[in-house]
Amino acid sequence: MKLIFLGPPGAGKGTLAGLVSRELGVPQVSTGDIFRDAIKRGTELGKKVQEIVGRGDLVPDQLTVSLVKERLAQPDAAAGYILDGFPRTIPQASSLEQFQSLDAVVNFTISDEVVVTRLTGREICKSCGAIYHVTNMPAAVKGVCDTCGGPLYTRPDDSIDSIRNRLEVYKRQTEPLIDFYAARKLLKNIDSSKSPEDTLVQIRTGLAYSPRS
Ligand code: ADP
């Protein structure tokens, strides 16, 4: 299955993309993770995007599209994938449809209030990328990843200024994609304001698949 996970920052795209990609046996392709990894390793790409990502602005379309194109050409993405955080603009979506045909776009719906609460308490594992929340989904041992034992950190763009900017950028640049994909009859709306488990059950129903046992 070739899927897009769409929604505002903090809607749960990354958490659910991780869960669903395991159930479907397809890779999760997160542009945010690609950029963060490049920044961490100090590559040319990382240096180019560091400030933009830190502010919560969007990386230029051309650069982002070429990275995704390269990633989707890898053999593991031939049968399917989950695009998490891409496309984020109409030009990105138009480029994508030139070289890929999609099965569905999962659109996560959630209020601004819930998003802000989630992002202000979010913690990420430095080693494996697992996502936690200080109060809603805490790690068993404070600051330590349950899965791999790696250290947890707060993303620099999860500061309140950057969160506000990311929400504005989402409304201005990304929200128009809802109509874009509705017009193509690909859109599945999913309420992601409750738990990840609740959201996962809705996605399975929406996409009509059962988890592998
Ligand atoms: P979130 O959905 O929580 O905002 P992501 O991890 O998806 O976080 O993205 C983090 C940052 O990476 C974005 O704020 C933006 O700077 C950059 N980014 C990710 N995906 C894209 C994209 N498709 N186009 C442009 N910039 C992107």
Side-chain angles (χ1 to χ4, degrees):
M1 248 195 274
K2 300 186 172 179
L3 303 171
I4 289 176
F5 280 15
L6 183 67
K13 299 185 299 289
T15 302
L16 270 301
L19 297 171
V20 175
S21 75
R22 246 166 282 147
E23 290 190 341
L24 293 175
V26 298
Q28 168 187 5
V29 176
S30 160
T31 39
D33 284 349
I34 294 173
F35 293 135
R36 274 186 293 279
D37 182 59
I39 293 168
K40 191 168 80 183
R41 291 191 290 118
T43 64
E44 275 312 302
L45 171 68
K47 284 181 207 147
K48 218 181 275 180
V49 303
Q50 183 159 21
E51 273 187 32
I52 302 175
V53 173
R55 280 198 305 270
D57 287 332
L58 294 185
V59 173
D61 287 334
Q62 241 187 337
L63 177 58
T64 309
V65 169
S66 66
L67 282 171
V68 171
K69 202 168 186 175
E70 211 173 282
R71 178 63 189 87
L72 296 186
Q74 301 293 311
D76 68 327
Y81 49 75
I82 298 175
L83 281 172
D84 156 21
F86 180 93
R88 254 174 155 94
T89 64
I90 294 283
Q92 290 181 10
S94 305
S95 301
L96 180 67
E97 62 180 14
Q98 308 294 313
F99 65 95
Q100 290 285 324
S101 58
L102 299 164
D103 294 302
V105 175
V106 175
N107 178 43
F108 292 85
T109 59
I110 191 162
S111 70
D112 284 2
E113 292 73 30
V114 180
V115 156
V116 171
T117 314
R118 281 188 185 176
L119 293 176
T120 42
R122 181 157 74 173
E123 291 183 320
I124 320 266
C125 173
K126 213 163 203 149
S127 310
C128 75
I131 303 166
Y132 297 88
H133 188 279
V134 281
T135 47
N136 299 346
M137 222 200 316
V141 179
K142 199 173 180 310
V144 180
C145 179
D146 292 351
T147 318
C148 77
L152 305 185
Y153 78 109
T154 301
R155 270 169 49 176
D157 62 339
D158 279 346
S159 69
I160 192 68
D161 284 349
S162 183
I163 290 169
R164 288 217 180 88
N165 187 41
R166 279 154 61 208
L167 276 170
E168 270 170 37
V169 169
Y170 167 78
K171 293 211 166 102
R172 205 172 51 240
Q173 311 234 62
T174 310
E175 215 166 47
L177 295 181
I178 295 174
D179 287 343
F180 180 96
Y181 287 119
R184 285 155 179 74
K185 309 254 180 295
L186 290 170
L187 205 69
K188 310 257 181 223
N189 287 317
I190 299 286
D191 168 12
S192 67
S193 58
K194 297 186 195 91
S195 67
E197 293 74 24
D198 177 273
T199 310
L200 181 60
V201 170
Q202 290 184 65
I203 294 175
R204 286 177 189 151
T205 309
L207 298 177
Y209 79 90
S210 307
R212 298 168 172 189
S213 49

